[in-house]
Amino acid sequence: MTISREDIEKVAVLARIRVDDEQVSALEKDLGNILDLVDQLAAADTDSVEPMAHPLNAVQRLRADEVTETNQREAFQAIAPATENGLYLVPRVIE
């Protein structure tokens, strides 16, 4: 896949960056190489490859999910400015 000089100039305008003429020709070559690599990757047969969450099959050690705090809901709601049916009432922000 190739990228044209006009495409590079259009993207530069959209990105609000200044690109000189010599940079445009260098970018045209570099971006063309990148797009060729993407085409090669897209052509690879991945039907038999199982998706992985991590390339090294690493497993993160996690602590046990245990309750460590006591339930203080009633105490917190007692000092809240406004509550109703166990919920905190807050002023309306958006009308």
Side-chain angles (χ1 to χ4, degrees):
M1 178 181 237
T2 60
I3 187 165
S4 69
R5 180 177 208 82
E6 293 79 25
D7 290 336
I8 293 173
E9 291 170 351
K10 184 176 181 180
V11 170
V13 169
L14 292 173
R16 299 183 192 271
I17 56 174
R18 186 179 324 146
V19 180
D20 299 333
D21 288 338
E22 62 187 41
Q23 291 175 320
V24 170
S25 59
L27 282 171
E28 190 174 358
K29 179 184 172 204
D30 292 342
L31 291 174
N33 290 338
I34 292 170
L35 292 174
D36 289 341
L37 179 60
V38 170
D39 286 341
Q40 288 178 10
L41 290 173
D45 181 24
T46 59
D47 291 337
S48 62
V49 177
E50 183 179 337
M52 298 171 23
H54 192 278
L56 301 178
N57 287 331
V59 178
Q60 186 175 5
R61 294 183 302 168
L62 302 174
R63 64 176 171 79
D65 190 13
E66 299 172 356
V67 177
T68 58
E69 300 287 327
T70 58
N71 185 359
Q72 299 178 1
R73 179 180 178 186
E74 297 298 326
F76 290 138
Q77 290 209 340
I79 60 174
T83 61
E84 183 179 301
N85 296 329
L87 303 174
Y88 295 98
L89 302 177
V90 296
R92 181 179 294 245
V93 178
I94 300 174
E95 295 192 31

